[in-house]
Amino acid sequence: MLYYLFQFLDERYNFPGAGVFQYISFRALGAVVTSLMVAAIFGRRIIDTLRNLQIGESIRDLGLEGQMQKRGTPTMGGFIILASLLIPALLFAKLSNVYVILALVSTVWTGLIGFLDDYIKVFKKNKEGLEGKFKVVGQVGLGLIVGLTLYFNDAVKIRKYAPRLMSTSNVPDVYTDIKSTLTTVPFVKNNEFDYSSLLFGFLPDSYTWIVYVLVCIFIITAVSNGANITDGIDGLAAGTSVIIGLTIGVLAYLSGNKVFSQYLNIMYIPNAGELVIFCAAFVGACVGFLWYNSYPAQVFMGDTGSLMLGGVIAVLSLAIRKELLIPLMCGIFLIELVSVILQVSYFKYTKRKYGEGRRIFLMSPLHHHFQKKGYHEAKLVTRFWIVGIILAVLTLATLKLR
């Protein structure tokens, strides 16, 4: 909103300093500062409100050290993240930008799914929360919206530049904006992959949208559930999301900048740089929430926050065509999700074969396995963050390592 206000003041009245709102870097800085301020001003009030409404976490005794002391800690703290993310994004981003619109819709959509899950757990006294099939329906619905928009919307294009015949700045660039389902493949020299190739020539290219939408559904569902499972100990999901959000912000800036994209020989996506503002608000919101969620947590984000974090990360990655970097960039989410899948699958297999279920880990998700081994919660979270930082560095290294 402020972008349009100051653009009007600059064009109509030549208002001093109004032109600075044209710069992505300035608006990103404004977004992150605003998100931190919102978390600081409203975070404590939201926590007090949750406590007064007796919206506390019901803890199952899993035999983990310090676990039962957390009983009654306010949950649904994801509202702090939602407020700290949406307010600065609405204030500083271009609201006509299709990528920003998708990010905002994804935030509200997944936040609503998570809220319904928390509401059933807290007010309906049902520890299982929203049935899994309804969560999946919501995630599939978001995948349909995102996939169809990215495929069919005319504003979603990549820009291909023709090679220069003369090395002079006086020669204008020749380029073509094309609709495409190209995406980035890490560690490969010619690092572009077209989803139309998954048709293997059996179907015409007009069916590519079906493949692309299915990919979007799978990625959004997987990352959203991965973030949800990771949210098991104080500060783990929020801190990991800060690292991932910073990484996506760098990738969005480079992909949306003509000079850097040409220098790095990566896909140039016009208008994708606007997502830097959203990423800045996302990082600020997670950091602001960490103020209250770091060990020992004063509030839990609940599914209101965790499902939203994963869903937004997936959508941002799809928007800048870096979704194939997710296994590396979101490695913490991936290993947590895989640990649960392996544990459950192996238990069922051994129970069917031997008559009793056996386990790979002491407990899943993986962070509970390490807790069972005696690692203190705070040390465990810090080490997971360190691994997340290493994965982020490797993710950015893929821009040059091919």
Side-chain angles (χ1 to χ4, degrees):
M1 296 179 184
L2 292 178
Y3 171 83
Y4 300 103
L5 172 62
F6 281 93
Q7 183 183 45
F8 170 78
L9 293 174
D10 186 38
E11 293 176 353
R12 181 66 65 90
Y13 302 106
N14 197 25
F15 190 83
V20 76
F21 273 81
Q22 300 294 319
Y23 294 100
I24 287 176
S25 55
F26 177 82
R27 287 186 286 127
L29 179 61
V32 72
V33 170
T34 303
S35 62
L36 290 170
M37 289 178 61
V38 171
I41 295 171
F42 296 105
R44 171 52 57 189
R45 298 180 183 181
I46 291 174
I47 293 172
D48 290 342
T49 300
L50 294 173
R51 184 175 285 111
N52 291 336
L53 293 174
Q54 297 183 338
I55 302 177
E57 185 76 14
S58 58
I59 304 292
R60 290 184 297 173
D61 189 359
L62 301 176
L64 299 173
E65 183 180 353
Q67 179 192 23
M68 299 313 295
Q69 282 87 342
K70 298 182 180 183
R71 187 187 299 272
T73 301
T75 187
M76 288 194 190
F79 283 117
I80 299 174
I81 305 177
L82 283 168
S84 303
L85 171 56
L86 291 174
I87 292 173
L90 290 170
L91 285 175
F92 290 95
K94 291 183 185 178
L95 301 182
S96 59
N97 184 287
V98 63
Y99 301 115
V100 172
I101 293 172
L102 274 180
L104 291 170
V105 169
S106 303
T107 302
V108 175
W109 188 286
T110 49
L112 181 59
I113 296 172
F115 167 73
L116 291 174
D117 188 41
D118 287 335
Y119 180 85
I120 292 171
K121 288 178 182 177
V122 174
F123 293 101
K124 300 298 182 182
K125 306 301 180 183
N126 183 346
K127 293 182 180 180
E128 299 302 320
L130 186 66
E131 287 189 46
K133 61 183 179 181
F134 294 118
K135 285 185 185 179
V136 172
V137 167
Q139 291 162 341
V140 169
L142 178 60
L144 284 170
I145 293 172
V146 172
L148 293 172
T149 301
L150 292 176
Y151 187 87
F152 288 107
N153 192 284
D154 291 335
V156 179
K157 296 179 180 179
I158 62 173
R159 182 165 294 176
K160 292 287 188 179
Y161 284 92
R164 281 178 176 270
L165 299 178
M166 298 176 61
S167 58
T168 172
S169 59
N170 296 326
V171 178
D173 288 317
V174 178
Y175 63 84
T176 305
D177 286 345
I178 60 174
K179 294 288 294 178
S180 171
T181 52
L182 285 174
T183 191
T184 303
V185 182
F187 301 114
V188 177
K189 187 170 184 179
N190 298 316
N191 65 332
E192 292 182 354
F193 172 78
D194 198 327
Y195 285 109
S196 63
S197 62
L198 294 178
L199 298 174
F200 300 107
F202 294 116
L203 294 171
D205 287 349
S206 58
Y207 286 87
T208 304
W209 71 272
I210 298 175
V211 175
Y212 184 70
V213 168
L214 290 175
V215 169
C216 291
I217 290 171
F218 172 77
I219 290 172
I220 289 171
T221 303
V223 181
S224 183
N225 287 328
N228 184 227
I229 288 172
T230 303
D231 180 36
I233 50 180
D234 300 348
L236 181 56
T240 303
S241 296
V242 170
I243 298 166
I244 297 171
L246 284 169
T247 308
I248 294 176
V250 172
L251 294 172
Y253 183 78
L254 297 175
S255 299
N257 184 284
K258 171 191 166 185
V259 175
F260 285 117
S261 61
Q262 287 186 320
Y263 171 72
L264 294 168
N265 192 27
I266 61 175
M267 199 181 304
Y268 175 44
I269 309 170
N271 303 314
E274 198 65 24
L275 284 176
V276 175
I277 289 92
F278 190 90
C279 290
F282 180 87
V283 170
C286 292
V287 171
F289 180 73
L290 266 176
W291 182 268
Y292 305 103
N293 185 240
S294 58
Y295 181 85
Q298 298 170 288
V299 65
F300 300 138
M301 67 172 68
D303 286 5
T304 306
S306 60
L307 285 173
M308 181 272 292
L309 292 178
V312 169
I313 287 170
V315 172
L316 292 174
S317 302
L318 286 162
I320 61 173
R321 302 177 189 247
K322 300 294 186 290
E323 66 272 15
L324 297 186
L325 288 171
I326 285 177
L328 182 60
M329 179 172 59
C330 302
I332 298 296
F333 292 167
L334 176 63
I335 194 65
E336 293 274 45
L337 181 61
V338 170
S339 69
V340 173
I341 295 173
L342 288 176
Q343 184 88 322
V344 173
S345 300
Y346 186 71
F347 185 86
K348 290 182 178 179
Y349 169 75
T350 53
K351 187 173 184 179
R352 186 170 61 250
K353 186 173 182 178
Y354 303 110
E356 63 174 359
R358 301 176 183 177
R359 294 173 173 83
I360 301 174
F361 306 101
L362 296 177
M363 183 179 291
S364 65
L366 188 62
H367 56 261
H368 286 328
H369 169 78
F370 287 112
Q371 281 186 286
K372 283 285 190 180
K373 289 177 73 69
Y375 285 84
H376 189 274
E377 189 170 334
K379 178 176 284 190
L380 185 57
V381 169
T382 303
R383 290 184 175 178
F384 269 67
W385 288 354
I386 292 171
V387 173
I389 292 170
I390 294 171
L391 293 173
V393 171
L394 290 174
T395 301
L396 295 177
T398 63
L399 295 170
K400 295 296 287 183
L401 296 178
R402 303 178 193 168

